[in-house]
Amino acid sequence: MALGQGLSGEKKNALKHGTERDIMSQRQIIQVFEQYQKSRMHFVQTVADLATRPQNTEILQNAGVMPMLHSLMLDTVPSIQQTAALALGRLAEHSDSLAEAVVKEDILPQLVQSLASQNRFYKKAAAFVLRAVAKHSPELSKAVVDCRGVDALVLCLEEFDPGVKEAAAWALGCIARHNASLAQSVVEAGAAPLLVLCLLEPEMTLKRIAASTLSDICKHTPELTQTVVDTGTIAHLAQMILSRDAKLKRQVFSALSQISKHSICLAEMVIEAEVFPAAFVSLKDPDEYVRKNVATLMREVAKQTPELSQLIVNCGGLSKMIDYLGESRGQPRLPGIMMLGYVAAHNESLAMAVILCKGVSQLALCLSEEQEQIIKTATVWSIGQIGHHTPEHAKAVATAGLLPKLLELYMDASSSEDLQAKSKKALENILKKCTYIPALEPFLYDAPSNILKHVVCQFSKVLPHDSKARRLFVTSGGLKKVQEIDAEPGSALQEYIKAINSCFPEEIVRYYSPGYSEVLLQQLDSYQPA
């Protein structure tokens, strides 16, 4: 007999109602859990939205948001975990105190551990948190390294998803940029070859971030740079210098600059990749940072050797740089100004090339137009490098009216110590070579004694061999002014004055000496006509 056949109608009814009650009870329980999940999701999404605004970070921190987000990162629902990580990243990005709170809450080990097992969405969010913590300071970056965060991020560079690679490369860049030790930890984890592979990916954002991270690694030491270069980085970067993407070109030229700055060998490797003259086109790029980074690259290559400077000159880079200086204002001018100085410093020939390309007049414009002390200091230094070689070089600087300007900057109390020191050194070095009398003579009246001795020294060298200069020196009042200088007995200045006086008849020297008119008047008083 079937089970149902043995039940009375009354029992059947009771069983039916009992089943319905069980189903209703089950639904109610499920609703409670669903409501709890919705509440958790609503909370974490709201916090993530609030965390986008920096003004909310302190309020959220005071409300105890960190431990709450920490517990939600352990949630059974992946979307809640991801959103909690996103909220943490946003909070840590805005505030170093909240980044420190992430470390103190022991959230980093959990993040790093889960990077290997979670889905791509969580990995992006976790890498974002590591980046947000690491960017603030070397100490916070060290905390990421200590919990094996770098190893986990390098593994993410091998992921198929470009978004995960991008997030990992960005975080590694934030770690590497602080100091050589942290950059070394990134290299030792095997990041360099994987970052170079990222340059070959089709996604433009990934290319940019990979180039930026390589630049952050290379900026520290020649050894780190050599490790990166050994992976074939230069060739891949060189292929991208004509890209149409301005943000990519910024990072490419930055990375090439950081590579070039360390040694002659590395700079030559950049040259061998045929970066020039192709890079000169980008000195006209609409993007200001692209132009500045090209100028920086040219500076780093030019400073290494006369041969590398000559190569840039031969490619037409000098005239392109001077045009760039004429079209730029403010900080972007700085690498270009210094590049001219490095080129000129190598030898007389290269310094003359700067002069012939009208570099001196362009530097004179920079000096008059710019107000920032650091730009003025660099300009003064470059002028000194041009003018210190020969009398011809010094004359080019003098005829541009720059010597009085150098004196003015040296004497100006508002000039920084560095600007005063470099103005003094440039002025002294140029004066030691200058034989152009019209430029020297005003200094007899305006210069302090430590500068005046160099001016008088030059007169003592020029006057014995130039009769026209001697005549002009008398008629312009120069000889009279020299007689008025109070030189210490036995000093170099007194010897220079004696050398000048020996170029003229004794009567003329006596005539222009102080007190000579009183002597004549005394003679007049005692004179008795015949």
Side-chain angles (χ1 to χ4, degrees), residues 399-462:
T399 53
L402 285 168
L403 296 184
K405 185 65 178 173
L406 294 176
L407 180 63
E408 180 189 329
L409 290 170
Y410 167 52
M411 301 292 289
D412 190 346
S414 65
S415 293
S416 67
E417 284 185 22
D418 194 28
L419 178 53
Q420 286 181 330
K422 285 191 169 56
S423 298
K424 178 176 179 283
K425 187 173 182 179
L427 188 57
E428 287 177 342
N429 289 342
I430 296 167
L431 287 173
K432 286 175 184 177
K433 295 293 181 180
C434 186
T435 57
Y436 183 58
I437 298 295
L440 290 172
E441 201 159 302
F443 282 85
L444 291 172
Y445 302 90
D446 302 327
S449 58
N450 59 336
I451 301 295
L452 184 63
K453 67 182 179 183
H454 300 295
V455 177
V456 177
C457 176
Q458 290 308 103
F459 277 116
S460 72
K461 293 176 183 177
V462 174

Side-chain angles (χ1 to χ4, degrees), residues 37-78:
Q37 181 174 320
K38 285 179 183 176
S39 298
R40 297 196 315 276
M41 179 57 81
H42 176 71
F43 171 78
V44 79
Q45 283 179 338
T46 304
V47 169
D49 290 339
L50 290 169
T52 58
R53 292 181 286 278
Q55 63 268 29
N56 293 333
T57 54
E58 189 177 348
I59 303 167
L60 288 167
Q61 185 178 15
N62 293 338
V65 75
M66 277 297 168
M68 295 179 188
L69 290 174
H70 189 185
S71 62
L72 288 168
M73 286 181 65
L74 301 170
D75 201 276
T76 55
V77 181

